[in-house]
Structures are given as C-alpha cells and as structure tokens.
Amino acid sequence: DGVALDEYTNLHISPSWELKNEKWRERLYSLSMASEFQAKNGHPLDKTLFNMRYAPSGHPEVRIQAINQYMDIMRSGPMAIENTVYQKAKEVFGKNTFAGVHDTHHNALTGDEFWVTGLNWWSIPREYGQTDEHTPTPTQMGIAMANPMNAMYNMYYNKSIDNIVEKALGDLRWGIRTHYHAVNDVQGWGVSVDKLDALKKINPVENCARMMNRFNPALPEIKLLVIFGMEALSNWFPDDSARGPYDYNEKLGIEDKAFTLWKAGYLNALVPSDLIVSKKLVIGEDGKPVMNGHKFDAIVYLYPQYSRDPVIKFLETYVSKGGKLMVEGNASYDFYGKDISTRYEKIFRNAIHGFSVKGISQLGVKQNIIEGGCKNEDGSYTFTDLESLFRDKPATFKIDIDGDKYEGNYKGITLLKTNKKSGVTKLSSTGLQELRKNGIPLLSFEKPTGLFFSKSKVSSIIISDSTKTIKPWINRL
C-alpha cells in the first residue's frame, strides 16, 4: 500500500542541545559532491570551500557566491535520494502507491535542519504533504499546497494521550490527518497508542477523520502567501552578528513572523523561494500568485537578499500587474554577488516595505473570524470541538453563508457545504443533534448522531445508528 522514507538526511551533525556554547563551522564534502558541483557550476568545489572563508579585499561577491553555491549543492544531496526512492516505489508497486512520510527532521528553520535535510520540505516528491511533531501550521499549509492532494499528514507523538488527541482533532480543522507515531514506544518519547485506554480516546478522534474523509473537503481557504528567501536564510555574510551557531542566518525569525500573522487571524501558507525557481509557484494571467491551483490575493516576502533572477522577475511581474505585496528586508546582492539594489528599489516603491501585522489589512486580506471553524477552498466549512467529543454537552456553530444563517449543535466534527439555490448540498458529522437555517430546523435528532448526507441527482443520507428516527423536515435539506 505504501513506501516510507522517513527523515532521510545528510551526515548527522551535533544537534543544538549538544552543541552548548560550541559553533558548527565545518563543511560536508564528498567526491561525488565535488563532481556534481563542478558539472553544475563550472569551477571546482575545493576552491569554493576556500572562498567561503576568504575573499579578495573589496570583492565580497566572491564569498557571497561561494557560500550560496555550496549551500545549494549541499541541499541537493537528500533530494537526489528522495527522488530516486519515489520513482522506484512507483515503478515497483504501481503509480497509486502511497509515498511517505516526512523529511522534517527537527521541524524548524533553525538548528541543524539546514545541514541534515537541506530544508527540502516543500519539494520532496509526495502526493500528500507530510510533516512531523509541532511543525508550525503556516509551514504545514505551505507544504500541503505545494503537493497535489487536498489533505496532508502529520506524524505525532507525546507523553500525554490527552495532548495527542487534542492536537489530532485540532489539526483536522485545517485538513491535517495524524500518523500516530508512538506504537509500542520504548524510548519514553510518547504513549504507546495500542493500549486500550489510549484507543478509547484516539478512536473517537479517528472517527472524526473518517467523517472528514467521506466528505472530502478542499484545503482551507488561504489568501495570504508568505514567501521567504532561502538564500537569505542560508547566507549570513557579511553581517557577522547574524552568523548563527550552525553557520547560517538564524536570526530572521521567519516561522515566528508567519505564526504571528496566523495567531492574529491572518491565515497564511509559508513557502520558500525555491518554489519560484522550480516554477511550482507562478503568476497567473490575472496577476495573482498560483501554486498547484491554489490562488492567493497577497504576498508577504521575507528577506530578498541574494535572490536568484527568477525570484526577482517574479516580483517584478507581480507588482507590474498590481499585485499586493509586503517586503521585509533589503536586497543589495543577488545569488552571484551582483548588485540588484536598483531592481529592488522599483519593487519596494510598489510594496509595503517592512513587516507589520497591522499592515496586512492594507493588502486587502481579511482575518479568519469563524469561531471554532474554517472555510475551505471549495466553499465548505469545517467545525471541530474537542470537549464535546468526550462530554455530553454538544458544541454549537453559527455561520452566515450568502445571507443565510446556518447554526447547529454537534459533537466532535461537522462539515457543511451549501449554495443559495439548492440549500445544503453536503453534510458530514460525528454527532449532529440539530441543524437550522434562518431559525428553521432542517434536521433534528433526540441525541447527537453520526451521519453523512449528499445531495445530487439521487440524494442520500447515511446514519451511524439505524435505530434513530429523523423528523419529517429532513426533506427541507
């Protein structure tokens, strides 16, 4: 059914909790890396290693280029293995084989991640985006939308079963399903989820996931795209104060900024500039950025220093078509150390220059104000509530859809899709008790009941408990 390549990495280096006050200043090197580097760049890797440390007086571009080109080839090693395993999995087991799992090693844009995985999270070949542990939600949304399918997976474990189920259900609101990692755990990282008491809590959450799968919603509706410059992250030079313990610029706070926007209600997808270079992210005919069919209304670009030419052209095209843009950071040199300040000055004149949560409203992006819920790209809505799943008291939801006010009582998860002409077209819930439209009951049960309803040429409703009766106004659906 599937082939898994979990956390494939370059040679491991000391993680941050072992480094203490030491600093990583070494370099990975191999004969095959040197051969690939020579073929790609036309000059030897050993001289480049020297230029990473030193540059002729008055020629910073030599060191800039050396650092950028080395980091680029270093990152490509894990990608080569990821591509090969994916290709062979499809060849051996068939095109529909599930490709798993994640390559998020320590789940942050800081620490040793750059060196071991190359930060290729968005680019490894997968049908479903996949992450690990507490990867920030904006990062997860970016990875999800960088892949074809309308769902993603997160591998998770915790020492508390309550924390596991809380995260698993909370993630469902954003279309994220959970791989339960700690089965027969012997290392003390988590709870073994095959124990009966654990399953009593996990199974109700997984039932919520099953009802979401039956409904099959699109990914969340996200209109704000946050792009960060991979080259700016990988190169601290010439600002020595930005040279982090792992020898790249670890002071940019990229994920912190994206998550700050998320907490302020500005849902966003975080992606690297890599996706512009690979043409996975492009400017559509209407001037808006598009990735795998996901269209965004505005861009926050974090740190354009050392941009590659495709990135500069992308931003030039975007602002020339009236694109709404906020840029954090300056740009004086490109990937090869050439001056790009004039080109970026023109971009800055058509953008908000400087990161600001308050400034997002000027980009025309609205905050998510759906309490307990999320709007999806297909116009459907997802509502989740953990407390109701394990207690007798149902949760409530209220939403105005095209002027019609829908409200209901439910337990666990409810997904709803409507249109003005046909009313409710799809409905899925682990425990719906009542659904009302403009105060009029559409569906009612004596107790919360699991169901799936789909309106088509032949409408059908499936109820989890056949002993339950439905009041006559079901026809109002």
Side-chain angles (χ1 to χ4, degrees):
D1 291 334
V3 173
L5 179 62
D6 181 47
E7 294 186 14
Y8 181 81
T9 68
N10 280 321
L11 180 69
H12 284 200
I13 62 176
S14 299
S16 56
W17 55 83
E18 292 181 4
L19 266 182
K20 297 181 180 179
N21 295 323
E22 299 177 23
K23 294 179 181 179
W24 168 260
R25 295 293 183 260
E26 308 305 323
R27 294 293 179 266
L28 303 177
Y29 178 92
S30 71
L31 294 178
S32 58
M33 178 191 282
S35 177
E36 290 286 336
F37 185 91
Q38 177 77 45
K40 184 174 184 177
N41 298 294
H43 50 267
L45 179 56
D46 52 359
K47 179 64 177 295
T48 300
L49 290 171
F50 181 85
N51 288 340
M52 290 181 76
R53 308 283 187 173
Y54 305 98
S57 178
H59 292 280
E61 70 276 6
V62 173
R63 195 171 184 183
I64 290 169
Q65 176 177 296
I67 294 173
N68 287 335
Q69 288 184 333
Y70 174 84
M71 298 301 272
D72 179 58
I73 201 70
M74 184 273 294
R75 294 180 60 214
S76 71
M79 273 300 298
I81 301 300
E82 291 281 359
N83 287 329
T84 299
V85 171
Y86 180 86
Q87 176 189 348
K88 295 301 179 182
K90 300 294 182 177
E91 287 180 7
V92 174
F93 298 105
K95 64 179 182 180
N96 291 325
T97 296
F98 180 85
V101 275
H102 67 94
D103 70 331
T104 49
H105 186 59
H106 287 135
N107 322 299
L109 300 185
T110 55
D112 64 336
E113 189 79 39
F114 216 115
W115 293 94
V116 291
T117 69
L119 281 178
N120 294 309
W121 306 345
W122 297 261
S123 300
I124 63 170
R126 297 287 188 271
E127 281 76 37
Y128 295 85
Q130 296 176 63
T131 54
D132 188 29
E133 299 177 40
H134 287 285
T135 303
T137 312
T139 303
Q140 290 181 299
M141 292 295 95
I143 294 172
M145 292 179 171
N147 290 280
M149 300 302 288
N150 57 321
M152 76 167 298
Y153 289 91
N154 187 65
M155 184 180 285
Y156 190 71
Y157 59 87
N158 195 277
K159 293 182 179 180
S160 165
I161 189 62
D162 291 330
N163 288 345
I164 291 174
V165 298
E166 180 179 1
K167 178 165 174 55
L169 184 65
D171 279 358
L172 284 177
R173 185 180 300 175
W174 316 114
I176 304 168
R177 279 68 160 178
T178 298
H179 284 309
Y180 297 92
H181 185 254
V183 175
N184 298 319
D185 186 87
V186 294
Q187 297 182 344
W189 293 341
V191 177
S192 183
V193 297
D194 64 339
K195 302 301 181 183
L196 184 61
D197 57 341
L199 290 176
K200 286 181 179 178
K201 292 191 174 182
I202 288 174
N203 284 340
V205 175
E206 280 305 283
N207 190 41
C208 292
R210 281 189 286 271
M211 297 309 292
M212 170 173 264
N213 291 343
R214 181 175 284 275
F215 189 98
N216 195 27
L219 287 169
E221 183 180 78
I222 293 178
K223 295 299 184 182
L224 180 62
L225 182 65
V226 180
I227 308 172
F228 70 91
M230 184 65 78
E231 292 74 25
L233 178 63
S234 64
N235 193 343
W236 55 270
F237 182 77
D239 182 5
D240 194 69
S241 66
R243 192 176 192 181
Y246 284 91
D247 219 5
Y248 59 91
N249 196 332
E250 296 185 6
K251 297 185 178 181
L252 300 180
I254 291 167
E255 286 186 303
D256 290 339
K257 289 179 174 63
F259 196 61
T260 296
L261 293 174
W262 187 279
K263 289 189 294 184
Y266 294 108
L267 304 187
N268 64 90
L270 178 67
V271 301
S273 56
D274 295 352
L275 303 190
I276 298 174
V277 178
S278 66
K279 297 183 179 180
K280 184 176 286 187
L281 173 60
V282 298
I283 303 297
E285 293 182 0
D286 59 357
K288 293 188 177 182
V290 181
M291 180 173 64
N292 268 338
H294 305 285
K295 186 180 293 188
F296 305 89
D297 290 341
I299 293 175
V300 173
Y301 197 100
L302 302 176
Y303 307 107
Q305 184 72 298
Y306 304 135
S307 296
R308 298 173 190 257
D309 192 59
V311 173
I312 305 174
K313 289 180 179 177
F314 175 92
L315 293 175
E316 288 172 337
T317 301
Y318 183 59
V319 297
S320 72
K321 294 187 175 184
K324 298 177 180 179
L325 174 67
M326 175 184 287
V327 181
E328 169 69 6
N330 295 311
S332 49
Y333 299 100
D334 73 358
F335 183 84
Y336 300 100
K338 296 179 181 179
D339 189 296
I340 53 172
S341 56
T342 301
R343 293 179 71 180
Y344 263 104
E345 284 175 5
K346 294 179 180 179
I347 294 171
F348 293 154
R349 285 199 293 267
N350 294 282
I352 299 173
H353 197 187
F355 177 79
S356 166
V357 175
K358 292 182 179 179
I360 298 298
S361 61
Q362 299 177 42
L363 300 178
V365 177
K366 296 181 180 179
Q367 293 167 292
N368 176 52
I369 54 174
I370 303 173
E371 185 176 355
C374 166
K375 184 179 181 182
N376 303 313
E377 286 182 330
D378 58 4
S380 65
Y381 293 83
T382 303
F383 300 92
T384 61
D385 184 83
L386 179 65
E387 187 176 357
S388 66
L389 196 60
F390 296 102
R391 297 190 180 183
D392 291 333
K393 185 179 180 180
T396 61
F397 69 85
K398 296 180 181 179
I399 189 73
D400 189 307
I401 306 175
D402 297 327
D404 291 319
K405 296 181 179 179
Y406 288 88
E407 53 188 329
N409 304 321
Y410 74 102
K411 296 181 71 173
I413 192 170
T414 290
L415 298 102
L416 174 68
K417 187 175 183 181
T418 75
N419 65 52
K420 192 70 175 177
K421 180 180 179 180
S422 303
V424 177
T425 58
K426 193 184 285 189
L427 174 66
S428 185
S429 179
T430 48
L432 188 74
Q433 187 159 8
E434 188 172 46
L435 176 66
R436 299 176 294 279
K437 176 182 177 181
N438 298 325
I440 300 173
L442 299 182
L443 193 60
S444 179
F445 298 95
E446 293 179 359
K447 293 182 179 180
T449 300
L451 62 87
F452 174 76
F453 168 80
S454 177
K455 180 180 290 183
S456 58
K457 292 182 179 179
V458 180
S459 298
S460 63
I461 185 166
I462 301 172
I463 302 174
S464 61
D465 187 345
S466 61
T467 65
K468 298 285 175 63
T469 58
I470 307 170
K471 292 190 176 180
W473 50 67
I474 183 176
N475 290 329
R476 294 173 182 168
L477 284 172

